[in-house]
Each structure stands twice: as C-alpha cells, then as structure tokens.
Amino acid sequence: MKIDRVDLLIVRLQLVRTFETSSSRKDHLEHILVKVFADGLVGWGECASPLDPYYCEETTETCWHILKDFLIPSVLDRPWTNLEEITNCYRKVKRNNFAKAGLEMACWDILAQATRQPLHSVLGGTRQEILSGVSLGIEQDTDRLFGLIDQFLDEGYRRIKLKIAPGKDVAVVRKVRERYPDILLMVDANSAYTLADTPRLKQLDDFDLLMIEQPLAHDDIVDHAKLQRELRTPICLDESIHSVQDARKALELKSGRIINIKVSRLGGLLEAKRVHDLCYREGIPVWCGGMHEYGIGRAANVALCSLPGFSISGDVSGSDKYYAQDIVDPPIRAINGAIQVPQSIGLGFMPNEKRIKEFTVRFFSTAQ
Ligand code: OSB
Ligand code: MG
C-alpha cells in the first residue's frame, strides 16, 4: 500500500459539561482529524490532544506542526504492508505521541479496510462487548456531583472515577462512599501530589477504592514505587507511561499495580497493544483511558478494549456523555454499562463528513 494524500482538519466540539481536573479546565475541544488516502481507500484517525500543555507537553498546535512538517512527509509515497513499517518511517521523531497516534490510527483503519476486517479483529481482540465506566470532573457543589453519579449509575455505567486535587479529596471521597457504599469507585489526581502528601493519600485507603490514578508527578516512576509501599490501594499509572519500555520499567520498580492504556499517550494502537501484551503476560490488570475522544478515536478505543487483558471497565463512555452530537454515525452507545464491539469493516462507525465540515476550523491537504 502507498499513502498518496493526507488531509488534516481541526474540528471544534463543545462539551456538554465543563470538565475540570487538578491540571486543567475545559468546555470545548479542538481535535485534529487525520484523513489518509491510500490505494483508493480512505482511513480516519484522531489526535485527541488538549488545547493546553497541562496534561502533557503536547497541544493541538504542536500536533499540527509535527504532523504537517515531519510525520506526514515521512510516510507519503512510501510502500507499506503493516503498522511496524509505517511507524518505522518516523522512528527518528521523539515523543509527540498524540500527533503520531492520529496518523497511525488512520493507517489501522486503511489496513482493516484493505483486509476487509473489523478493526478489533486486526488487533486480535476477542471480546464482543466492552465494560464502560465514567470519569467525572471536579465539581464545586457536592449535590451536583451526586446528581451526576445518580444519572450515570441509572444509565448503567459500572464504575465511577472522581477527579481529585489537594483540598478536594478526602472529604469528597468520604461523602461519595457514604452515599454509595457498594459501587466500583476510583480517583484520579492527574499528578497533583508529592511524597510529602503521603499521610493524606493514606487516608484514601479507608474508602475501598479500586485504585488511585497518577497521584505523583507526570514524569515519575520512582516516588510512585515509594508511595505504593505505603498504600493498600493500588496505584494506577497514566501520565508516566509513554511506551512499552516505560511500562516494563514501572512494573520492575513496582511503581503501581495497574496501568491505564491510552492510545494517544502511547503514540498509537501498536504501542498500546504492546503494553497490553506485556501486562497480560505479567498478570497486571489494564483498562482503557480516554482523552474525551470524538467518535473516531473512541471507535479505536472500543476496538482496543476487545483485547483479553482489558479486565477493568475503563473511561470509554458513550458519545452522549461528552457531546450533543458526535461526528460519527451511529453515535457510540453504552447500554447497561457495555458498548458492543462493531462487526463491520474498519472502524465500525462512519465519519459524518457533513457534520465534520460544519465544525472544521482549520484545514490542510497535501493535495493542495
Ligand atoms: O487523566 O484520564 C485522564 C480527560 C482529559 C485528560 C486526562 C484525563 C481525562 C479523563 C477523561 O479522565 C477520560 C474520558 O472520559 O475520555
Ligand atoms: Mg488519568
């Protein structure tokens, strides 16, 4: 196969509710859609980067630059038959994983279509449906938080994740646990604490949490290992893991007991699958994290979650949790806390080009 054209589209969507974490606050997103043309086929990918560099160093603007000036020129007109060959074209580009993930995803879609398989089959997935949870932002008002939890439990979601930050942690989690004694509950700190906060974090051991996600610095695996020795609750790493090598080192150091696999943070489905395979061999549970993906990135997450090691319900929720209208048809639906893995060829959800055009705020094509 040969890629003969790539289009980039920045698509702006409004979130149905403002989302606040310890590191950022947002009410809309601008994700780059990557449209790849090869051998008469069209594949779609998505860069789910935030607009600001507060989750990681990448932004929509850095993704645009890296895609346009480095990644796309490296793959254009180069023959390929598998994803290793594609990622090899840009192996000299360090990090910039969100940018890489968008291009790589479109190539998986092409490969799935060329071999007439659903994406999950190309990846080697086995599950027919995936377990779905929700991630809730920090809310100033506890009654509003209770309202959201009630709503999502009523909709059937099987696990609730709360964002926490220093001063917005133990008291909130206590109230939630008292009101919902039996739910699967976890927290995500988005790297807001240091080892000096160990006594405070230890208080979270009282609430039977599934895990504490990324309590310490975004680039740390050493202090996490020290903290894990002090906590009963498993630590799950998110921001710290950018590759299968990072995952191996973190497991060796015992920096945590669970890994959040995010396609964007890992630079694509190939590396995400490698982390899955490593953890599966080692008996380490994994789950799929999200970056508020639109339907394209979300479809890739659904396919990934069909791999056997995804034993914990993740942050891949239905489209309606995020957007009034998604950019794919049909929208992704979670029913009774489960999303059906589509059996149709490719991503399994059709990009709606009319709606995409309506929300596009910037366009580039190698064909111009
Ligand atoms: O840390 O997992 C995170 C959203 C944006 C940035 C970072 C994170 C998140 C979420 C939401 O937790 C995941 C989702 O619902 O897509
Ligand atoms: Mg996280």
Side-chain angles (χ1 to χ4, degrees), residues 22-240:
S22 66
S23 58
S24 84
R25 184 185 164 82
K26 54 188 172 187
D27 61 12
H28 73 281
L29 300 143
E30 291 185 11
H31 289 178
I32 301 174
L33 299 187
V34 185
K35 190 176 180 186
V36 169
F37 300 74
D39 296 16
L41 299 170
V42 175
W44 288 86
E46 175 179 340
C47 294
S49 58
L51 279 158
D52 50 38
Y54 306 146
Y55 166 78
C56 65
E57 61 275 39
E58 290 182 85
T59 67
T60 308
E61 206 61 45
T62 69
C63 287
W64 185 268
H65 163 53
I66 295 294
L67 276 162
K68 184 167 158 299
D69 297 332
F70 296 98
L71 302 178
I72 292 171
S74 81
V75 299
L76 218 51
D77 297 322
R78 294 268 296 269
W80 63 283
T81 55
N82 57 47
L83 269 294
E84 281 81 359
E85 284 169 4
I86 280 288
T87 53
N88 244 328
C89 293
Y90 51 77
R91 68 183 175 284
K92 287 194 295 190
V93 179
K94 310 291 187 297
R95 297 277 198 133
N96 289 288
N97 285 351
F98 279 67
K100 290 173 181 171
L103 178 61
E104 199 247 23
M105 194 183 294
C107 295
W108 279 99
D109 185 18
I110 297 258
L111 187 67
Q113 293 178 48
T115 56
R116 306 200 57 74
Q117 297 176 74
L119 179 57
H120 75 91
S121 305
V122 190
L123 285 167
T126 48
R127 292 172 198 273
Q128 305 286 315
E129 59 171 40
I130 66 153
L131 300 176
S132 183
V134 289
S135 169
L136 303 180
I138 292 171
E139 296 289 339
Q140 306 312 327
D141 178 51
T142 315
D143 285 334
R144 196 178 140 80
L145 179 62
F146 288 164
L148 288 171
I149 298 174
D150 287 344
Q151 177 195 330
F152 290 117
L153 291 175
D154 282 350
E155 289 178 24
Y157 285 102
R158 317 244 177 131
R159 186 228 62 187
I160 301 286
K161 163 166 139 182
L162 305 176
K163 293 288 183 179
I164 57 166
K168 295 171 184 162
D169 43 29
V170 178
V172 182
V173 178
R174 176 176 293 118
K175 281 189 199 157
V176 171
R177 189 39 109 197
E178 277 171 8
R179 190 173 151 117
Y180 308 93
D182 302 322
I183 60 170
L184 296 177
L185 184 65
M186 61 174 285
V187 295
D188 185 358
N190 287 106
S191 65
Y193 297 88
T194 69
L195 273 185
D197 299 307
T198 303
R200 188 157 196 92
L201 293 166
K202 276 175 84 126
Q203 292 182 51
L204 294 172
D205 270 344
D206 292 343
F207 306 122
D208 193 25
L209 300 176
L210 270 178
M211 68 194 90
I212 302 176
E213 188 179 342
Q214 196 72 32
L216 306 180
H218 70 98
D219 55 357
D220 169 78
I221 53 171
V222 173
D223 285 353
H224 277 101
K226 290 185 187 158
L227 179 63
Q228 181 66 91
R229 288 198 286 276
E230 300 293 321
L231 295 181
R232 272 201 319 273
T233 311
I235 289 176
C236 169
L237 294 171
D238 175 358
E239 281 89 330
S240 298

